Amino acid sequence: MTDLTHMTLAEARDALVAKKISARELTSAHIGAVEAARALNAFIVETPEQALAMADAADQRLGNGTHGPLEGIPLGIKDLYCTKDVQTTAGSHILEGFVPTYESTVTSQLWRDGAVMLGKLNLDEFAMGSSNETSHFGAVKSPWRRAGSNAALVPGGSSGGSAAAVAAHLCLGATATDTGGSIRQPAAFTGTVGIKPTYGRCSRWGIVAFASSLDQAGPIARNVRDSAILMRSMAGFDPKDSTSVDRPVPNYEEAIGQSIKGKTIGIPKEYRVDGMSPEIEALWQQGIAWLRDAGAKIVDISLPNTRHALPAYYIVAPAEASSNLARYDGVRYGLREQGRDIVEMYEKTRAAGFGKEVRRRIMIGTYVLSAGYYDAYYLRAQKIRTLIKRDFENAYAAGVDAILTPATPSAAFGIGEKVSADPIEMYLNDVFTVTVNMAGLPGIAVPAGLSSEGLPLGLQLIGRPFDEEGLFSMASVIEQSAPKTSLPQNWWA
Amino acid sequence: MSVDQATVRKIAHLARIAVSEAEIPHLQNELNSMLHFVEALASVDVEGVEPMTSVMPMALRIRADVVNDGEMAALVTRNAPQSEDHFFLVPKVVE
């Protein structure tokens, strides 16, 4: 038997159904990989006993023919998803020790379909970050290294644990969330596939809220097909999320391999930003050529409000975060620091419980929502959001089916390289991804090649609302065309 | 627009985050750097543009006005740092 951790999710699923392997064998192999990879710090909590119990139940269902579409598939869960009776921290000290008494809708759908939970994955604190360095539980190391270097690199963020665990073959797939690029940027940094579906496609119920009008759940997996398989189980209407959209969930896997002949792909000139590396530009041109070779029509388009997206995001997201994070007050869950009165108790609890980046964003959000500034900042940013969305609507109305851009302005950087600098420098990581959240559209990051230093680089496809299927078809063309890459030598186990 | 140190103290209090005097100048720099970053938005023409309030055009669903949950006080208070008889305990608020 070949190493069970080197199967794709689709291969493992088929082997389980054909009874060539058991869920217990598959899960045990992944538990071993997780334990051996603690140097990566990808998991905050490992749940091997629960995983084996779930695997045994999966083997029973596989035996009697009542198995679901993900039966016996070991997954990692971003520690932003509430999991019943398993600690859920959002990467924050303020939630350390919090054990939910309920299960998030998305994870409950994964367990309904037979998946197995290996543990809870590390992330930037409250999903605020692009490098996984803001986690209270320490930075995650990428399994990737620059050619000829031992320097530890970031896996991206905020879903850094998810991306690192999937890339290092610790799980067959992982859940993630994306508020400004937190699925797509770490996927691009680790050579994995990550999709942020249309806003409303996945329920947000039971996922720790960051910025409610931007947050969306999605999977990270090692290839496009695996991400499509996970997407089908994660998506769906949920009456418990008032922004959940009630429409049928397609079998996304059927989109893989569909012809893209005659599709129109827009290339937005505004994504050619100052200081972008020539490597990224070359990668983008290569992606254009691959799609053209597959029969797509390439058109130049303009999304003129692109440059306003990142600043507007840094008003909208902190504003919503300051409101969402008001609930962490030392009363109902998590940390409490004592004070002489209730206000001092709140203030000391929140000062001790939140990390630097979270405190900074809460304060900026509090400021832009405070009396006298609401119109100048928040209301104006929401109007600019309408303009950003309108740019996309105009392109789609003109016949564009999807838009191709780079996923990130650079390859992964080193741990510590950007932490001391101006926070804005870190925020620029999301310059290509944040527009998609502002407009509520689906976006997928797919590996397209390696940098001169041997690090993964990704391309992003942005789709029409609810056309995740189109994205899977086009992303699989890029995947098929791109050079095959393999991880550097396993240095972590 | 930029904030002075008094405004930083006021924001910290509104956000209910204790901030020491020593942290104020640094926080002031960070907040001003953020405000500087978003400054360009002030020149965008938004005349007549509706603010985006919903990503997908949809009416808010309203559920039936019925009790569909409850009788789980023990679960609700399970994670509380301090609780007694299914009540959350806080420092004295009313004299």
Side-chain angles (χ1 to χ4, degrees):
Chain A
M1 193 78 237
T2 56
D3 185 348
L4 295 176
T5 64
H6 279 70
M7 299 177 107
T8 67
L9 190 155
E11 287 165 358
R13 172 194 62 184
D14 297 347
L16 283 163
V17 172
K19 302 203 171 56
K20 288 182 186 155
I21 57 170
S22 71
R24 179 169 261 269
E25 286 169 336
L26 183 66
T27 295
S28 300
H30 283 90
I31 289 171
V34 169
E35 286 172 356
R38 290 194 180 131
L40 298 179
N41 199 29
F43 282 82
I44 294 175
V45 169
E46 298 170 15
T47 55
E49 283 159 28
Q50 182 172 340
L52 288 173
M54 291 173 97
D56 288 343
D59 277 328
Q60 280 210 343
R61 288 188 292 268
L62 286 157
N64 64 25
T66 59
H67 55 273
L70 290 176
E71 203 67 59
I73 299 294
L75 302 177
I77 303 300
K78 186 177 184 179
D79 202 23
L80 203 63
Y81 290 72
C82 286
T83 43
K84 189 170 188 289
D85 299 329
V86 176
Q87 177 186 256
T88 300
T89 67
S92 182
H93 182 41
I94 210 161
L95 270 179
E96 202 168 355
F98 172 61
V99 179
T101 56
Y102 49 84
E103 187 77 27
S104 84
T105 297
V106 167
T107 49
S108 71
Q109 290 173 185
L110 294 171
W111 316 142
R112 171 201 69 198
D113 287 354
V116 167
M117 178 167 83
L118 291 167
K120 302 299 290 292
L121 293 161
N122 206 340
L123 69 158
D124 279 301
E125 185 179 4
F126 284 105
M128 296 179 195
S130 304
S131 65
N132 214 115
E133 290 167 289
T134 72
S135 170
H136 174 67
F137 302 93
V140 173
K141 287 183 183 146
S142 174
W144 287 88
R145 288 173 165 182
R146 293 185 184 112
S149 163
N150 286 338
L153 301 181
V154 304
S158 68
S159 309
S162 305
V166 169
H169 295 255
L170 312 185
C171 49
L172 289 171
T175 66
T177 61
D178 191 316
T179 303
S182 283
I183 291 176
R184 292 158 288 155
Q185 184 255 18
F189 275 12
T190 56
T192 55
V193 175
I195 178 166
K196 181 203 90 73
T198 313
Y199 185 83
R201 182 72 285 192
C202 291
S203 170
R204 293 181 295 106
W205 194 84
I207 299 174
V208 175
F210 163 13
S212 303
S213 75
L214 301 161
D215 297 343
Q216 231 344 247
I220 291 181
R222 282 198 293 275
N223 60 51
V224 178
R225 179 180 297 276
D226 291 357
S227 65
I229 293 168
L230 289 170
M231 192 70 249
R232 185 188 180 189
S233 291
M234 293 173 72
F237 174 60
D238 179 12
K240 288 190 285 196
D241 172 359
S242 63
T243 59
S244 169
V245 174
D246 191 1
R247 57 189 286 153
V249 178
N251 183 353
Y252 294 115
E253 198 180 353
E254 286 171 359
I256 312 292
Q258 295 273 329
S259 168
I260 63 160
K261 195 164 271 186
K263 295 274 187 196
T264 302
I265 312 286
I267 308 300
K269 64 174 188 217
E270 291 81 6
Y271 282 61
R272 195 159 281 117
V273 297
D274 287 345
M276 190 164 89
S277 93
E279 270 186 339
I280 301 285
E281 173 67 31
L283 184 86
W284 196 6
Q285 293 305 322
Q286 180 64 71
I288 292 170
W290 288 330
L291 293 172
R292 186 186 283 124
D293 290 348
K297 186 178 148 203
I298 307 295
V299 295
D300 288 324
I301 62 167
S302 174
L303 303 169
N305 290 289
T306 298
R307 70 180 190 280
H308 304 313
L310 200 58
Y313 174 85
Y314 275 98
I315 292 173
V316 174
E320 294 185 10
S322 73
S323 168
N324 274 326
L325 272 58
R327 71 190 69 179
Y328 304 104
D329 57 5
V331 174
R332 286 160 297 167
Y333 26 63
L335 183 76
R336 172 186 291 196
E337 295 286 321
Q338 301 303 331
R340 280 165 309 188
D341 55 24
I342 194 162
V343 171
E344 192 182 274
M345 186 274 281
Y346 292 151
E347 293 186 341
K348 284 178 146 183
T349 297
R350 290 163 63 80
F354 292 134
K356 203 168 66 149
E357 180 65 28
V358 173
R359 288 200 303 266
R360 169 159 58 220
R361 296 208 201 181
I362 290 175
M363 287 187 60
I364 200 82
T366 302
Y367 179 70
V368 300
L369 290 178
S370 65
Y373 297 105
Y374 181 89
D375 286 3
Y377 287 110
Y378 189 71
L379 190 66
R380 171 167 283 268
Q382 290 289 58
K383 288 178 179 176
I384 290 168
R385 216 175 151 184
T386 300
L387 297 176
I388 293 162
K389 187 163 182 258
R390 203 177 281 167
D391 284 351
F392 284 105
E393 285 166 352
N394 290 342
Y396 294 140
V400 168
D401 293 296
I403 293 161
L404 181 75
T405 77
T408 56
S410 72
F413 45 90
I415 290 179
E417 247 171 51
K418 293 197 182 183
V419 280
S420 52
D422 183 356
I424 310 297
E425 195 197 335
M426 188 69 90
Y427 299 165
L428 289 172
N429 266 290
D430 294 333
V431 66
F432 298 139
T433 48
V434 78
T435 50
V436 177
N437 301 77
M438 293 298 269
L441 298 170
I444 191 168
V446 59
L450 295 181
S451 73
S452 57
E453 296 177 312
L455 297 179
L457 296 173
L459 288 170
Q460 172 179 242
L461 283 156
I462 304 168
R464 294 167 176 265
F466 296 102
D467 187 23
E468 284 81 9
E469 290 164 286
L471 292 185
F472 285 127
S473 300
M474 291 178 251
S476 69
V477 167
I478 293 175
E479 181 175 61
Q480 293 305 314
S481 313
K484 301 291 163 270
T485 60
S486 51
L487 273 176
Q489 194 83 28
N490 178 336
W491 53 265
W492 58 89
Chain B
M1 197 134 21
S2 63
V3 294
D4 57 19
Q5 298 202 349
T7 308
V8 175
R9 282 185 208 98
K10 185 177 149 224
I11 300 167
H13 181 65
L14 283 173
R16 297 289 185 270
I17 296 175
V19 168
S20 71
E21 275 305 305
E23 291 172 272
I24 299 274
H26 180 65
L27 278 170
Q28 185 191 11
N29 280 343
E30 283 186 349
L31 292 179
N32 282 332
S33 155
M34 292 278 289
L35 292 174
H36 177 71
F37 179 58
V38 303
E39 216 157 59
L41 298 181
S43 60
V44 180
D45 181 8
V46 292
E47 190 62 39
V49 178
E50 285 293 313
M52 185 163 153
T53 49
S54 155
V55 174
M56 291 302 137
M58 56 193 271
L60 192 64
R61 282 185 306 277
I62 295 175
R63 69 169 178 86
D65 185 14
V66 292
V67 177
N68 57 14
D69 209 343
E71 303 300 326
M72 51 172 83
L75 289 182
V76 171
T77 54
R78 184 192 283 175
N79 278 285
Q82 286 180 38
S83 70
E84 203 176 294
D85 298 334
H86 297 165
F87 286 95
F88 296 112
L89 292 186
V90 296
K92 198 169 185 180
V93 178
V94 182
E95 289 298 331

